[in-house]
Amino acid sequence: MKEGFFITLEGFEGSGKTTLAKIIYKTLLKNGLNTVLAKEPGGTVIGDKIRKILLERGNEGLGYKAELLLFTASRAENVRINIKPSLEKGLIVICDRYFDSTTAYQGFGRGIDMSVIDYFNNFAVEDIIPNLTLFLDVDTEIGLKRATMFHKNLELRFEDEFIQKKEVNGKLFLERVRDGYYQIARQNPERIKIIDANRDISMLTEDIIEILNLKLSEKFKRDIILKLHN
Ligand code: Z5A
C-alpha cells in the first residue's frame, strides 16, 4: 500500500483555515505534487447534509450528544470516501478541520467526557492520523469578527452562541475551546505546529511554506522548495 501525507488545519473560526487550505492546495499542485482538498464537517454527499443540520441558525435545540454524533458521522464518511482512499494512492491530503476540532469544541468546549470524545474520534478515523497539523492561533475577538462578516447568514449557529458569550463553570465557551487547542498542541508537539494567525495572510503563508518544505523533504527524501502559487 502506498502512503500519502496528511495535513490538517485547525483553529478558531476566522483564523484563516479555509483561505490557507486553498493557498496550500494550489501551491502543492503548482509544484507538481498530487494533492486533494477536504473539509469538515461536510465534503461528502451525506456529510454536506449533516453540515446543514449542524451549522444552520434555527437548529439551536440540538443537544450536545447528538452534535458529537453528527460530527463523528460526517468525519467517518469523509475518511471512508475521501481521505483514506487518497492516502492509499500516495496523495497529499489537506483537510480543513479534523478530530482536534471535536476534542476542542465538544470536549473542552461542551465539557463532554474526554474518554467519550476519544472513543468516537478513534471510531471515525480508525488509524488515519495527520502527519502534520497547523494550529492557526487567532485572538478570539479578531477571529469572530472576521468569521461573522464572512459567513452566509444561515451558517451561524455556533457564532450566535459565541456572541451570546455562554458561560460554563465561570469560563466562556470560546475561551475553553482556545485553551483546549493549546492543551492538544502541548500534548502533540511533534504533529502540531502553532502559528500566530493574527498577522497578515502573506506572513502566515511564508511560515507554512517553510514548515511544508521541511516536512515534505523528510517525507519524500529529497529537497523540496515550494514556489508559492499566487
Ligand atoms: N466544529 C465542531 O464543533 N466540531 C467539529 O468536530 C468540527 C467543527 C469539525 C463550523 O466549522 C463550526 O463547526 C465551527 C467549529 C465546529 N464553529 N464555528 N463557528 P467551519 O470550519 O465550517 O467554520 P469555521 O471554522 O467557522 O470557518 P471560517 O469562519 O470560515 O474560519 P476560517 O476557515 O478559519 O477562516 P477563512 O474562511 O479562511 O476566513 C474568514 C474571513 O476572514 C475571510 O473573509 C478571510 O478573507 C478573512 N481572513 C482570514 N485570515 C485573515 C487574516 N490573516 N487577515 C485578515 N483577514 C483574514
Side-chain angles (χ1 to χ4, degrees):
M1 184 185 86
K2 281 192 196 169
E3 203 185 280
F5 191 82
F6 187 21
I7 303 165
T8 57
L9 289 99
E10 291 286 352
F12 197 68
E13 28 284 283
S15 55
K17 294 177 302 299
T18 308
T19 308
L20 286 159
K22 286 180 188 159
I23 293 174
I24 300 169
Y25 172 67
K26 287 180 186 163
T27 297
L28 293 178
L29 286 181
K30 191 190 171 194
N31 285 269
L33 295 162
N34 280 333
T35 307
V36 168
L37 183 57
K39 68 163 183 179
E40 291 198 1
T44 63
V45 173
I46 300 298
D48 286 342
K49 292 180 181 174
I50 295 174
R51 180 183 176 92
K52 276 193 166 189
I53 300 171
L54 282 164
L55 302 188
E56 275 189 10
R57 189 176 254 169
N59 289 345
E60 281 74 17
L62 186 65
Y64 293 178
K65 288 181 185 174
E67 182 184 86
L68 169 64
L69 295 172
L70 288 168
F71 278 118
T72 304
S74 170
R75 179 161 311 122
E77 285 294 271
N78 204 12
V79 168
R80 182 178 72 86
I81 294 169
N82 297 325
I83 299 173
K84 194 171 183 185
S86 301
L87 291 172
E88 283 174 353
K89 283 185 208 150
L91 306 184
I92 298 174
V93 177
I94 303 164
C95 194
D96 183 351
R97 292 195 183 277
Y98 197 54
F99 59 28
D100 293 320
S101 287
T102 302
T103 309
Y105 285 82
Q106 280 64 53
F108 287 98
R110 302 295 196 205
I112 296 177
D113 193 288
M114 278 303 169
S115 62
V116 177
I117 299 289
D118 289 346
Y119 176 83
F120 283 111
N121 277 347
N122 290 331
F123 185 59
V125 310
E126 301 168 24
D127 57 347
I128 309 292
I129 310 292
N131 301 93
L132 170 66
T133 296
L134 303 166
F135 167 36
L136 303 172
D137 181 27
V138 72
D139 185 272
T140 47
E141 294 299 325
I142 295 176
L144 200 52
K145 202 167 160 196
R146 286 182 195 159
T148 41
M149 273 163 50
F150 168 74
H151 270 306
K152 293 183 289 290
N153 205 28
L154 278 175
E155 284 199 348
L156 284 170
R157 186 174 72 91
F158 275 85
E159 282 87 347
D160 280 352
E161 185 170 337
F162 298 157
I163 290 161
Q164 287 164 24
K165 297 190 186 298
K166 280 198 182 156
E167 239 181 73
V168 175
N169 298 335
K171 239 185 173 187
L172 300 179
F173 178 75
L174 47 84
E175 286 173 359
R176 291 197 307 279
V177 171
R178 193 168 183 216
D179 290 354
Y181 268 124
Y182 282 124
Q183 282 202 46
I184 299 167
R186 272 199 298 275
Q187 285 160 8
N188 299 276
E190 276 301 305
R191 172 172 68 87
I192 302 181
K193 302 294 163 211
I194 303 178
I195 292 163
D196 175 1
N198 296 305
R199 298 169 297 155
D200 193 82
I201 282 283
S202 61
M203 294 171 87
L204 305 187
T205 307
E206 267 178 40
D207 285 4
I208 290 172
I209 295 286
E210 205 172 300
I211 294 169
L212 288 177
N213 283 340
L214 196 72
K215 291 283 180 183
L216 293 175
S217 297
E218 275 170 24
K219 160 75 187 166
F220 294 109
K221 298 190 174 49
R222 63 182 168 93
D223 278 347
I224 291 186
I225 300 170
L226 297 170
K227 288 195 183 67
L228 185 64
H229 172 87
N230 289 308

